[in-house]
Amino acid sequence: MTEELRWGQELRWGLIGCGKISHDFGKSLDKAEKPHKVVACAASSLERAQKFAKEHFPHATPYGSYEELLKDPHIDAVYVGVHNEAHCPWAAKAVEAGKHVLCEKPFGTCAGEVRQTIKRLKNRKTFLMEAFWSRFFPAWRYIRNIVDTKEWGEPRVVQANFGYPHEDNWRCNERAEGALTLYGLYVIMLSHYIYKRKPEKVSVIGAKDKVHDSDEWATIVLEYGPQQRAVLYYDSRTWLPQNAFVSFDKGHITLPEYFWCPEKLIRWEGETWYNNEHNKKTIEFPLNDDRFFNYNHSSGLRYEADHLYEQVQKGRIESDFHPLSATLEIVETMDEVRRQLGVHFPHDDRFK
Amino acid sequence: MTEELRWGQELRWGLIGCGKISHDFGKSLDKAEKPHKVVACAASSLERAQKFAKEHFPHATPYGSYEELLKDPHIDAVYVGVHNEAHCPWAAKAVEAGKHVLCEKPFGTCAGEVRQTIKRLKNRKTFLMEAFWSRFFPAWRYIRNIVDTKEWGEPRVVQANFGYPHEDNWRCNERAEGALTLYGLYVIMLSHYIYKRKPEKVSVIGAKDKVHDSDEWATIVLEYGPQQRAVLYYDSRTWLPQNAFVSFDKGHITLPEYFWCPEKLIRWEGETWYNNEHNKKTIEFPLNDDRFFNYNHSSGLRYEADHLYEQVQKGRIESDFHPLSATLEIVETMDEVRRQLGVHFPHDDRFK
């Protein structure tokens, strides 16, 4: 059990990494329901941290190293917003420094690393969660409620598309960064979120980038039994509609752009065949003004921050909505996709 | 060259088959731009044909056999609306009887049959086309114009979903009827329509129905080169959104329900990432009132009828928009999908 937050007590955040996503996460806290405050930020140089603090979080203490930030006793929770390879190591150090941790996705480079890290941290006293922000959006909660209540019976199909032209500097197996970790991750996450278990079968059709030997695009079919499946597609060369749907026995939901951070959903009750407009209903979940963020719909990062707040307030060390077991299962599926595509990360050997 | 229609001359149709689709095709002619008239219909019994004529086309002559209808000298064109196995045989007989022919899709049960039929009819004097109605919808024409003019560069991805719960009486390999010929056909057709050539590679993930040994669902990836592909999905157990998109270098089109007979499309110019609403535009192509048809959007069957009229008027024996070579290529892809799924039609051996 963690030390509980008192009602209305401010949660003091330290940002590890002063990049665009740390900016957006920190700024989203202004829109949150719970009281959060960015009190420190750390970059690989003091100058960068100072510049970042001065521009965006003038009341925050800048640190020239992540270690220094972790020593700051005035920090309750740490947001790990660095590159993939550094997620697990810094999440672990932050936990060991007694901080609550929200760690960017994917939590680990491969299943081996995630398993080792979870084992290493099993006696922790603080909260640890992968920052799978999509899960906490009201539209995603709405769909999950249909799953949990079995309102429309069982889920049958998850389909999702995610793609846009991909900068080549992301194609780096050495750093565990590629199209799968950037886009594929989200379509796989959605499927795991709906079925709440590992697929029985993973089938992949896709291709590698010839120059970088990293993955370029893939169609992934996840089978959870004969009548439950996901048909997923990601592509790092082309603009795709970033949409998804989830079909149940008695209805389906479509998530328009952007399915992973949606402001609305469309529900179709019953058959979608005749008179299809009659059983169609759009439900809106508007976000705040997004103009001052780097990424689309980033103000929605606040939902995961509020979830962490609530969980910490309950004295939990793991999320009851996105537990570490789910994080591990997602990365296991990603490993299998890479295996079938022939994409090898050096981390696969390191964490065997 | 066929005998040309005079300007404004009525094209007299005979319907082979008095089922729901023949009804809808005949009724759609009332909404057509060109002058068409249903003058005869034939069923497997005279009583059925008489009942059908009396109820729906009171001025049409009913025939108790297809042969009798083909002998009627007052018929210019024949619509073949019977079951799959009978498409090629009756289309061929109608051509040999000197009629123009619009034959329901799939034109043949397998590539062998299509090849044999085309060869057999190569010296014909009348027009012959597969009734691939989707091609002639204004929304499909609009997309094809983007392809042909290269307005947005090259097409890069076609994606389409088609599925709804499937009656078991369709699952019949003996009659060449299954989920592939009912749904899979449409998603494959869209891809062939956009790329205008055979795919270099066909990859399939799917499953068979255990009772009937017919195909049940499949994800089909068609590759036309390293940066041109289609990612298709059909499913005969579940209601899916019946939607599609086509992505180009500099924009994409989404086709909402029902992509194969759409009343509108949404075009996205350029990047679909930031400020995505600014470059989004919906274009409507409303159909006529569909209440008196059996199937959704059936009034749009008129577009293919008008195309046939125009082609006959030009003295053509084959469509310049949907030639028999395209029909053959589509069925070749379907054969390969069946081969990978392990679905065998007895026709495969018969037309080797």
Side-chain angles (χ1 to χ4, degrees):
Chain A
M1 297 288 278
T2 66
E3 202 179 324
E4 292 179 24
L5 286 168
R6 292 186 317 277
W7 183 255
Q9 186 184 335
E10 206 165 54
L11 186 71
R12 297 164 301 176
W13 286 89
L15 307 175
I16 286 195
C18 291
K20 287 182 181 173
I21 187 66
S22 289
H23 165 275
D24 282 9
F25 177 77
K27 286 293 179 193
S28 82
L29 300 178
D30 298 342
K31 323 273 186 180
E33 284 184 18
K34 304 290 178 184
H36 301 268
K37 189 176 187 184
V38 175
V39 297
C41 62
S44 46
S45 81
L46 184 59
E47 291 68 33
R48 261 197 90 211
Q50 283 171 331
K51 186 167 180 283
F52 183 79
K54 195 177 168 194
E55 277 178 26
H56 306 302
F57 304 100
H59 301 292
T61 308
Y63 289 106
S65 79
Y66 306 154
E67 284 89 351
E68 283 177 84
L69 182 143
L70 293 182
K71 284 181 196 148
D72 184 338
H74 303 295
I75 294 172
D76 306 307
V78 160
Y79 172 78
V80 178
V82 289
H83 63 275
N84 289 354
E85 201 180 29
H87 286 171
C88 265
W90 285 106
K93 283 181 193 172
V95 163
E96 285 165 348
K99 311 300 185 192
H100 304 300
V101 175
L102 186 60
C103 176
E104 260 312 319
K105 64 207 154 16
F107 178 64
T109 55
C110 61
E113 187 181 26
V114 172
R115 243 178 254 122
Q116 280 190 21
T117 306
I118 292 174
K119 198 174 165 193
R120 172 175 159 194
L121 301 176
K122 70 176 189 295
N123 295 319
R124 73 189 182 281
K125 291 198 163 52
T126 54
F127 181 84
L128 171 62
M129 187 177 80
E130 181 184 39
F132 175 7
W133 67 318
S134 311
R135 276 188 177 235
F136 306 100
F137 272 69
W140 278 53
R141 293 269 197 177
Y142 185 100
I143 299 178
R144 179 66 169 256
N145 191 51
I146 292 174
V147 174
D148 291 341
T149 62
K150 296 192 188 294
E151 178 189 342
W152 283 345
E154 294 294 325
R156 296 299 175 194
V157 177
V158 172
Q159 210 253 346
N161 305 301
F162 195 164
Y164 58 90
H166 189 283
E167 296 300 323
D168 277 345
N169 62 7
W170 280 95
R171 299 182 189 280
C172 181
N173 293 342
E174 297 294 316
R175 287 200 314 263
E177 286 175 350
L180 178 66
T181 65
L182 193 58
Y183 318 93
L185 178 66
Y186 279 102
V187 295
I188 290 170
M189 273 176 169
L190 175 61
S191 180
H192 276 258
Y193 178 77
I194 297 299
Y195 290 111
K196 301 192 279 185
R197 63 187 192 276
K198 288 173 68 169
E200 292 172 14
K201 192 177 169 191
V202 177
S203 309
V204 182
I205 301 165
K208 288 200 286 185
D209 175 87
K210 284 189 176 54
V211 178
H212 304 83
D213 205 42
S214 60
D215 65 309
E216 188 171 291
W217 65 275
T219 300
I220 304 165
V221 177
L222 305 179
E223 292 178 67
Y224 297 81
Q227 299 305 336
Q228 293 193 302
R229 66 191 70 100
V231 176
L232 310 170
Y233 174 46
Y234 71 89
D235 197 321
S236 63
R237 289 291 184 198
T238 308
W239 292 98
L240 303 183
Q242 324 282 345
N243 58 10
F245 67 79
V246 182
S247 291
F248 296 82
D249 289 322
K250 296 171 200 155
H252 72 247
I253 300 279
T254 53
L255 289 169
E257 275 72 12
Y258 307 98
F259 80 84
W260 69 90
C261 49
E263 289 191 291
K264 66 179 174 185
L265 59 79
I266 302 156
R267 52 175 280 157
W268 310 66
E269 180 117 26
E271 300 192 348
T272 65
W273 190 251
Y274 291 102
N275 307 317
N276 63 312
E277 296 300 320
H278 300 184
N279 56 0
K280 186 178 167 182
K281 192 175 160 193
T282 300
I283 302 173
E284 311 262 355
F285 305 96
L287 287 165
N288 300 108
D289 187 343
D290 252 356
R291 274 178 299 174
F292 305 108
F293 291 90
N294 292 302
Y295 301 112
N296 257 359
H297 295 191
S298 270
S299 65
L301 288 162
R302 70 183 187 266
Y303 298 123
E304 60 182 4
D306 277 344
H307 178 72
L308 179 140
Y309 190 102
E310 287 160 5
Q311 295 281 302
V312 167
Q313 208 168 27
K314 287 180 188 168
R316 295 188 58 87
I317 61 165
E318 185 164 1
S319 170
D320 52 13
F321 196 60
H322 186 44
L324 294 170
S325 58
T327 294
L328 178 60
E329 284 175 8
I330 292 165
V331 79
E332 281 170 347
T333 299
M334 290 169 72
D335 282 6
E336 176 57 20
V337 170
R338 281 196 294 116
R339 195 191 63 75
Q340 292 188 32
L341 289 171
V343 173
H344 182 260
F345 289 168
H347 318 81
D348 298 330
D349 304 325
R350 212 175 297 156
F351 296 102
K352 247 180 190 155
Chain B
M1 296 290 275
T2 67
E3 201 179 325
E4 292 179 24
L5 286 166
R6 293 187 315 278
W7 182 254
Q9 186 184 333
E10 206 164 54
L11 186 72
R12 299 165 300 175
W13 286 88
L15 307 175
I16 286 196
C18 291
K20 288 181 180 173
I21 188 65
S22 289
H23 165 275
D24 282 8
F25 177 78
K27 287 294 179 193
S28 83
L29 300 178
D30 299 342
K31 324 271 185 182
E33 283 184 18
K34 304 289 177 187
H36 302 268
K37 190 177 186 182
V38 175
V39 297
C41 61
S44 47
S45 82
L46 184 59
E47 292 68 31
R48 261 197 90 210
Q50 283 170 333
K51 187 167 179 283
F52 183 80
K54 195 177 168 195
E55 279 179 25
H56 306 303
F57 305 99
H59 301 291
T61 308
Y63 289 106
S65 78
Y66 308 155
E67 284 89 351
E68 284 177 83
L69 181 142
L70 292 181
K71 285 181 195 148
D72 184 336
H74 304 294
I75 293 171
D76 306 307
V78 159
Y79 172 79
V80 178
V82 290
H83 63 274
N84 289 354
E85 201 180 29
H87 287 171
C88 264
W90 285 106
K93 284 180 191 172
V95 163
E96 284 165 348
K99 312 300 185 192
H100 304 299
V101 175
L102 186 62
C103 176
E104 259 313 318
K105 66 210 148 20
F107 179 65
T109 56
C110 61
E113 187 182 27
V114 172
R115 243 177 253 121
Q116 280 191 22
T117 306
I118 293 174
K119 198 174 166 191
R120 173 175 159 192
L121 300 175
K122 70 175 190 294
N123 295 320
R124 72 189 183 283
K125 292 199 161 50
T126 56
F127 181 84
L128 172 61
M129 187 177 78
E130 181 184 39
F132 175 7
W133 67 316
S134 310
R135 276 187 178 237
F136 306 101
F137 273 68
W140 279 52
R141 293 270 198 176
Y142 185 100
I143 298 178
R144 179 66 168 255
N145 190 52
I146 292 175
V147 174
D148 292 343
T149 61
K150 298 193 188 294
E151 179 189 343
W152 283 346
E154 293 295 325
R156 295 298 174 194
V157 177
V158 172
Q159 208 254 344
N161 304 301
F162 195 165
Y164 57 89
H166 188 282
E167 296 301 321
D168 277 346
N169 64 5
W170 279 95
R171 298 181 189 283
C172 180
N173 293 341
E174 297 294 316
R175 288 200 313 264
E177 286 174 351
L180 178 67
T181 66
L182 193 58
Y183 317 93
L185 178 64
Y186 279 102
V187 294
I188 291 170
M189 274 176 168
L190 175 61
S191 179
H192 277 256
Y193 178 77
I194 297 299
Y195 289 110
K196 300 192 280 186
R197 63 187 193 276
K198 288 174 65 170
E200 291 171 15
K201 192 178 169 191
V202 178
S203 310
V204 182
I205 301 164
K208 288 200 287 185
D209 174 88
K210 284 190 175 54
V211 178
H212 305 83
D213 206 41
S214 60
D215 66 308
E216 189 171 289
W217 66 274
T219 300
I220 304 164
V221 176
L222 305 179
E223 291 176 69
Y224 296 81
Q227 298 305 337
Q228 294 193 303
R229 66 189 72 99
V231 176
L232 311 170
Y233 174 47
Y234 71 89
D235 197 320
S236 63
R237 290 290 183 199
T238 308
W239 292 97
L240 303 183
Q242 323 282 346
N243 57 12
F245 68 79
V246 182
S247 291
F248 297 82
D249 289 322
K250 295 171 201 157
H252 70 247
I253 300 279
T254 53
L255 289 168
E257 274 73 11
Y258 307 99
F259 80 84
W260 68 90
C261 49
E263 289 191 292
K264 66 178 175 186
L265 59 79
I266 302 156
R267 54 174 279 159
W268 311 65
E269 180 118 25
E271 301 192 348
T272 65
W273 190 250
Y274 291 103
N275 308 317
N276 62 311
E277 296 300 318
H278 300 185
N279 56 0
K280 186 178 169 181
K281 192 175 161 193
T282 300
I283 301 173
E284 311 261 357
F285 305 96
L287 287 166
N288 299 109
D289 187 344
D290 252 354
R291 273 178 298 175
F292 306 108
F293 290 91
N294 292 303
Y295 300 112
N296 258 0
H297 295 190
S298 269
S299 65
L301 288 162
R302 70 183 188 266
Y303 298 123
E304 60 182 3
D306 277 345
H307 178 72
L308 180 141
Y309 190 101
E310 287 161 4
Q311 295 281 301
V312 167
Q313 207 168 27
K314 287 179 188 166
R316 295 188 59 89
I317 61 165
E318 185 165 1
S319 170
D320 52 12
F321 196 61
H322 185 45
L324 294 170
S325 58
T327 295
L328 178 60
E329 283 175 8
I330 291 165
V331 80
E332 281 169 347
T333 298
M334 290 169 71
D335 283 6
E336 176 58 20
V337 170
R338 281 197 293 115
R339 195 191 63 74
Q340 291 188 32
L341 289 171
V343 173
H344 183 259
F345 290 168
H347 318 80
D348 297 330
D349 304 325
R350 212 175 297 156
F351 295 102
K352 247 178 192 159

